[in-house]
């Protein structure tokens, strides 16, 4: 593997009534192959060594599980716009690495203290806490290395926009900022009372920002106009909100076996969720409303946007 490998075979997607699930699985397979290549033991130009324990733990954190919804959104948005599939796959895979890093750190005792992730031991359980911290650090920096590599995106302006977008959506004003608000909502830093707007802001940062940027990354790779990008940003923001609410519903209703991790912990920890604020029926109604906003945002693309419309419906109907 070298960083000069700038092409991948197109994702093969069967036609038919089940085209969406085939498409989702095909992109997930392509992402898995891409990430496995990036996480090989082969030392790359500019590197001194790849420590065995670190590489094994990184592969444990990343490979062999997950729907890969974030890269799927990047790939399908770029595809709809006629953009580079290999560029979108690389950008989406970088976003997936940031997502995986966040899960590794979120599972640790100081955060959510989880023993299972995707049906297997979390990284700090399979290895140790120090290794888990370093795995998260390494996944995050690898993500930005991929985005900055001209092999995947030759246009320097688009590369810069991708790096900037991922930094902002995952950093202090996005995911990380949302995570500390989430800890605060548990009362860790003193008494707190969040209303619906506060909860929506927290969730838009912690979960929604990265999902929304996945769509925006596809728009950037696909060469979207300013108006197209604005419409797709509306889609991404609504999708991110719907995803988190659906996740909160699953935390209440799904079994640990189905989810591959402990459930019901959010309620026990006093986390801020729309289920608490609106009730289960109200939360489901809000999901339906947000799916409508997603469909409205991509209406101008007609049939070309059907996969994105199905992605919104899948987000709220999923059982895991």
């Amino acid at each position: 593997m070298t960083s000069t490998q700038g092409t991948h075979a197109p994702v093969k997607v069967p036609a038919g009534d089940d085209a969406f699930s085939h498409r989702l699985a095909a992109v997930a397979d392509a992402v898995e192959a891409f990430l496995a290549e990036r996480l090989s033991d082969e030392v790359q130009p500019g590197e001194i060594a790849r420590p065995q324990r670190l590489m094994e733990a990184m592969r444990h954190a990343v490979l062999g599980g997950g729907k890969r919804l974030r890269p799927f959104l990047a790939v399908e948005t770029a595809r709809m716009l006629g953009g580079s599939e290999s560029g979108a796959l690389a950008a989406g895979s970088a976003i997936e690495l940031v997502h995986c890093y966040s899960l590794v750190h979120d599972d640790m005792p100081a955060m959510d203290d989880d023993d299972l992730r995707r049906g297997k031991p979390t990284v700090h359980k399979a290895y140790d806490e120090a290794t888990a911290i370093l795995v998260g650090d390494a996944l995050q920096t690898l993500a930005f290395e991929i985005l900055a590599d001209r092999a995947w995106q030759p246009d320097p302006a688009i590369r810069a926009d991708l790096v900037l977008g991922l930094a902002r959506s995952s950093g202090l004003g996005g995911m990380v900022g949302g995570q500390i608000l989430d800890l605060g909502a548990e009362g860790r830093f003193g008494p707190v009372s969040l209303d619906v707007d506060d909860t929506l802001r927290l969730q838009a940062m912690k979960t929604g920002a990265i999902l929304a940027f996945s769509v925006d990354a596809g728009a950037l790779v696909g060469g979207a106009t300013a108006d197209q990008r604005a419409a797709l940003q509306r889609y991404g923001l609504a999708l991110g909100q719907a995803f988190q609410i659906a996740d909160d519903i699953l935390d209440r209703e799904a079994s640990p076996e189905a989810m591959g991790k402990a459930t019901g912990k959010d309620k026990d920890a006093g986390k801020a969720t729309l289920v608490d604020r609106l009730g289960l029926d109200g939360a489901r109604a809000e999901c339906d409303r947000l799916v409508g906003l997603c469909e409205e945002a991509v209406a101008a693309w007609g049939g070309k946007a059907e996969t994105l419309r199905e992605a919104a419906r899948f987000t709220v109907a999923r059982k895991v």
Side-chain angles (χ1 to χ4, degrees):
M1 176 196 58
T2 67
S3 64
T4 58
Q5 290 180 302
T7 59
H8 268 261
V11 177
K12 295 181 180 179
V13 182
D17 293 339
D18 205 22
F20 176 80
S21 60
H22 283 303
R23 197 180 286 272
L24 184 64
V27 172
D29 288 345
V31 170
E32 184 84 1
F34 183 94
L35 292 176
E37 204 173 344
R38 311 277 83 69
L39 294 171
S40 78
D41 291 327
E42 184 180 343
V43 177
Q44 296 301 293
E47 296 177 348
I48 297 172
R50 288 193 161 198
Q52 182 180 358
R53 181 178 180 83
L54 180 63
M55 298 312 301
E56 288 176 355
M58 290 171 73
R59 289 190 287 266
H60 180 90
V62 172
L63 302 180
K67 295 174 289 296
R68 312 300 190 192
L69 180 61
R70 292 152 190 83
F72 177 77
L73 291 169
V75 168
E76 292 306 321
T77 301
R79 187 202 303 266
M80 182 184 75
L81 296 169
S84 164
E85 186 172 312
S86 62
L89 180 66
S93 296
I95 297 167
E96 185 72 5
L97 288 176
V98 167
H99 173 58
C100 290
Y101 122 69
S102 76
L103 298 180
V104 172
H105 283 186
D106 203 41
D107 287 337
M108 293 183 67
M111 300 280 280
D112 278 358
D113 194 14
D114 279 311
D115 294 344
L116 288 176
R117 172 67 64 180
R118 295 170 178 167
K120 61 184 182 181
T122 50
V123 176
H124 72 277
K125 284 294 183 181
Y127 294 87
D128 58 80
E129 290 182 30
T131 299
I133 291 169
L134 294 173
V135 163
D137 294 344
L139 292 176
Q140 183 186 42
T141 53
L142 180 58
F144 286 98
E145 179 182 332
I146 291 169
L147 285 187
D149 193 336
R150 71 184 66 184
W152 309 112
Q153 178 49 251
D155 188 324
I158 294 177
R159 288 203 306 274
D161 283 343
L162 289 169
V163 169
L164 179 62
L166 184 56
R168 283 181 171 166
S169 61
S170 64
L172 60 92
M175 181 185 72
V176 173
Q179 285 175 322
I180 200 164
L181 292 178
D182 196 39
L183 294 176
E186 298 176 12
R188 291 203 190 190
F189 315 126
V192 65
S193 178
L194 301 185
D195 60 18
V196 171
D197 288 342
D198 294 327
T199 303
L200 286 171
R201 183 182 305 110
L202 182 164
Q203 294 184 340
M205 294 170 69
K206 183 183 177 185
T207 303
I210 289 286
L211 272 165
F213 177 66
S214 302
V215 178
D216 197 32
L220 288 166
V221 173
T225 66
D227 287 345
Q228 288 174 332
R229 191 176 172 194
L232 288 165
Q233 285 170 342
R234 291 196 299 275
Y235 169 93
L237 290 170
L239 184 72
Q241 272 190 0
F243 181 94
Q244 183 58 62
I245 298 170
D247 219 40
D248 294 338
I249 293 171
L250 284 171
D251 186 66
R252 297 294 176 86
E253 296 190 328
S255 69
E257 292 75 21
M259 293 291 285
K261 62 179 182 178
T263 57
K265 291 186 68 177
D266 289 353
K267 182 175 177 61
D268 294 341
K271 286 184 179 290
T273 74
L274 263 293
V275 174
D276 292 320
R277 306 299 183 265
L278 303 177
L280 280 168
D281 289 343
R284 291 191 185 97
E286 180 64 7
C287 278
D288 291 341
R289 186 187 74 83
L290 290 165
V291 169
L293 291 180
C294 288
E295 293 177 339
E296 182 181 308
V298 297
W301 282 278
K304 290 183 178 181
E306 183 56 26
T307 301
L308 292 184
R309 283 191 285 271
E310 289 195 54
R313 295 191 286 266
F314 166 82
T315 292
V316 301
R318 62 197 168 91
K319 301 301 179 185
V320 293

